Amino acid sequence: MSTKSVAESVTTSGKQTVDLAQQTVRDLNQALHDQNKELTIAEWEVLNPKGEHNLAVGLDQKLKVDIYGPVGYYCAGMNKEADITVHGHAGQGIAENMMSGSVRVKGNASSAAGATAHGGFLVIEGDAGSRCGISMKGIDIVVKGNVGHMSCFMGQAGSLVVCGDAGDALGDSLYEVHIYVKGSVKSLGADCIEKEMRQEHLDELSALLEKAGVDEDPKAFKRYGSARQLYNFKVDNASAY
């Protein structure tokens, strides 16, 4: 149970502080959701998250939220407009189904980072686990480290930038996501191929790296995308079904 109301935790600078050693996840999320109706406090800091799940989910306002410590599953899920920074590692599904705004993880992220997200910007300063960007639908993701297997599986739209290496089955069954990888790729998934890096792609990649605050040479990356062979059913493959 809460021992201190969120309203009592405003600092002299006007920043709202929520200490999860004293307050509940529900207290935090309700206070953040109250800002959807009328923006009264734009900056928030969350202390002692200790791996709690579902922190700062469903935000729909131009908030700046800093979470100091590791978070559990589905942090910043369904985000709209808010800018959320995790000063630590993140569990499964960080920024899942995000619509807009930004999420930055100043550590590693577990599996399914940015899953199904329709928009927004996700930066992972460490490594990302398996299925990073699975079924992504418009989000841009920049990973400064490596990504695990099946990343960008069934990716539909957006961009995935990997400054390290990629695991098995990268881009399996993807549609129109642009994938950029600087390091090695263990294997490509079904219908994913290496593609020509034209000037338009160098420009796009350069803009994404700059936005993420990553100092890398776009020319050091390779581009991967869909061979577009799985878009339509082919009768010759009927026996495979």
Side-chain angles (χ1 to χ4, degrees):
M1 295 194 54
S2 305
T3 60
K4 186 178 182 182
S5 72
V6 171
E8 294 172 337
S9 305
V10 183
T11 65
T12 56
S13 65
K15 181 183 293 185
Q16 190 93 17
T17 298
V18 180
D19 188 344
L20 291 179
Q22 299 180 345
Q23 294 152 307
T24 68
V25 172
R26 182 166 184 169
D27 290 335
L28 168 65
N29 286 335
Q30 185 61 63
L32 292 169
H33 291 173
D34 288 344
Q35 296 297 311
N36 296 350
K37 304 169 188 175
E38 180 183 2
L39 179 60
T40 58
I41 301 174
E43 294 190 27
W44 296 69
E45 61 179 12
V46 181
L47 309 180
N48 296 307
K50 296 181 180 179
E52 291 275 13
H53 306 313
N54 306 312
L55 299 181
V57 296
L59 305 190
D60 192 6
Q61 184 59 274
K62 293 184 180 299
L63 304 177
K64 181 179 183 296
V65 182
D66 285 284
I67 303 174
Y68 291 95
V71 299
Y73 294 172
Y74 301 112
C75 178
M78 301 176 288
N79 183 48
K80 290 176 69 177
E81 299 196 76
D83 296 315
I84 302 169
T85 302
V86 177
H87 298 263
H89 302 308
Q92 178 173 307
I94 182 79
E96 186 263 350
N97 206 37
M98 178 162 62
M99 297 294 174
S100 60
S102 70
V103 175
R104 180 180 290 266
V105 179
K106 289 184 171 291
N108 300 325
S110 188
S111 61
T116 74
H118 289 248
F121 193 57
L122 171 62
V123 179
I124 299 168
E125 296 191 0
D127 298 326
S130 62
R131 299 176 178 84
C132 178
I134 182 172
S135 195
M136 54 190 283
K137 298 175 174 67
I139 186 175
D140 291 320
I141 304 174
V142 176
V143 180
K144 293 178 71 173
N146 307 320
V147 297
H149 66 271
M150 296 292 288
S151 288
C152 206
F153 173 56
M154 294 190 70
Q156 296 172 38
S159 300
L160 172 63
V161 178
V162 182
C163 299
D165 302 328
D168 277 317
L170 176 69
D172 190 277
S173 305
L174 85 166
Y175 291 81
E176 291 302 319
V177 174
H178 293 175
I179 303 176
Y180 302 101
V181 181
K182 181 182 179 184
S184 63
V185 176
K186 191 166 185 182
S187 69
L188 295 175
D191 210 38
C192 183
I193 60 173
E194 183 177 345
K195 291 195 164 187
E196 178 187 3
M197 181 79 91
R198 299 191 297 270
Q199 186 59 49
E200 64 195 85
H201 304 116
L202 289 170
D203 292 344
E204 177 184 54
L205 176 56
S206 179
L208 290 169
L209 291 169
E210 181 178 0
K211 185 176 181 180
V214 177
D215 185 16
E216 294 281 2
D217 180 5
K219 294 181 180 179
F221 289 73
K222 292 182 179 179
R223 182 172 77 97
Y224 302 89
S226 175
R228 300 173 179 167
Q229 295 301 302
L230 298 180
Y231 276 23
N232 301 294
F233 175 76
K234 296 181 180 180
V235 68
D236 293 342
N237 299 331
S239 62
Y241 294 91

